[in-house]
């Protein structure tokens, strides 16, 4: 079992159906092919987490692990893993157009290097294309040091993600 070394939770502002995972000093990931997994896209080295809501806040929990954590919570509708690189040691969850009210833990907690990021999502079908006053979507972002590997789709169950698979 992987020991959790840190965690944090907060609201992340969404703009244009996304929030980001990025590193200030360079690309965090290689661009993905045009056909994507419905949860994560990579453009210009930034990992975009795709949201059902067009804007507003989503609830994001970040957990950091020494090694790959166990997988198994059935409540998550979408789960995708991606490799990320941190040039600066500041690989973080970020809002596109806003600052976070409270920063979440730095994903690259061991400093510069390679990490595996597992992103979980639920609630993306609740308020598609809307700006709800209440939080309708929840995300879990897990990170651990790991050599680069291909993107891995672990679960695809929501309609919002399926609509992106078709494009």
């Amino acid at each position: 079992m992987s020991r959790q070394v840190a965690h944090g939770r907060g609201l992340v502002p969404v703009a244009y159906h996304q929030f980001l995972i990025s590193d200030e000093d360079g690309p965090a990931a290689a661009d993905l092919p045009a056909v994507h997994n419905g949860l994560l896209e990579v453009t210009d080295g930034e990992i975009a987490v795709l949201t059902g809501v067009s804007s507003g806040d989503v609830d994001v929990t970040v957990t950091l692990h020494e090694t790959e954590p166990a997988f198994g919570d059935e409540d998550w509708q979408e789960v995708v893993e991606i490799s990320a690189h941190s040039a600066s040691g500041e690989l973080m969850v970020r809002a596109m157009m806003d600052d976070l009210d409270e920063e979440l833990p730095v994903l690259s907690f061991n400093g510069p290097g390679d990490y595996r990021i597992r992103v979980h999502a639920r609630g993306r079908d609740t308020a598609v294309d809307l700006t709800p006053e209440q939080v309708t979507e929840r995300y879990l972002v897990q990170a651990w040091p790991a050599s680069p590997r291909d993107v891995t789709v672990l679960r695809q169950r929501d309609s919002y993600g399926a609509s992106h698979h078709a494009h």
Side-chain angles (χ1 to χ4, degrees), residues 13 16-17 34 40 44 67 69 88 96 108 117 119 123 126-127 129 131 137 145 161 165:
Y16 302 103
H17 285 278
L40 304 177
D44 297 329
T67 59
S88 69
M96 274 186 68
S108 52
I117 309 295
V119 179
T126 306
D129 296 331
T131 304
E137 297 181 31
H165 306 172

Side-chain angles (χ1 to χ4, degrees), residues 92-132:
M92 300 177 70
V93 171
R94 302 174 196 277
M96 274 186 68
M97 314 279 280
D98 252 332
D99 290 330
L100 302 183
D101 289 339
E102 187 173 320
E103 283 190 357
L104 294 166
V106 174
L107 299 174
S108 52
F109 62 96
N110 268 357
D114 294 318
Y115 292 84
R116 192 71 172 168
I117 309 295
R118 184 184 294 156
V119 179
H120 305 65
R122 71 171 159 244
R124 294 193 309 163
D125 293 337
T126 306
V128 174
D129 296 331
L130 301 177
T131 304

Side-chain angles (χ1 to χ4, degrees), residues 22-123:
S22 65
D23 188 286
E24 289 184 355
D25 285 353
D31 288 358
L32 295 175
V35 175
H36 60 81
N37 54 66
L39 180 58
L40 304 177
E41 284 185 346
V42 179
T43 306
D44 297 329
E46 290 188 320
I47 301 166
V49 180
L50 304 178
T51 64
V53 298
S54 63
S55 58
D57 289 333
V58 294
D59 183 306
V60 178
T61 299
V62 169
T63 61
L64 309 176
H65 303 266
E66 291 179 334
T67 59
E68 180 176 351
F71 175 73
D73 187 343
E74 290 296 320
D75 289 342
W76 297 104
Q77 297 166 314
E78 298 277 314
V79 184
V80 175
E81 283 184 10
I82 190 168
S83 291
H85 180 77
S86 178
S88 69
E90 294 291 319
L91 182 68
M92 300 177 70
V93 171
R94 302 174 196 277
M96 274 186 68
M97 314 279 280
D98 252 332
D99 290 330
L100 302 183
D101 289 339
E102 187 173 320
E103 283 190 357
L104 294 166
V106 174
L107 299 174
S108 52
F109 62 96
N110 268 357
D114 294 318
Y115 292 84
R116 192 71 172 168
I117 309 295
R118 184 184 294 156
V119 179
H120 305 65
R122 71 171 159 244

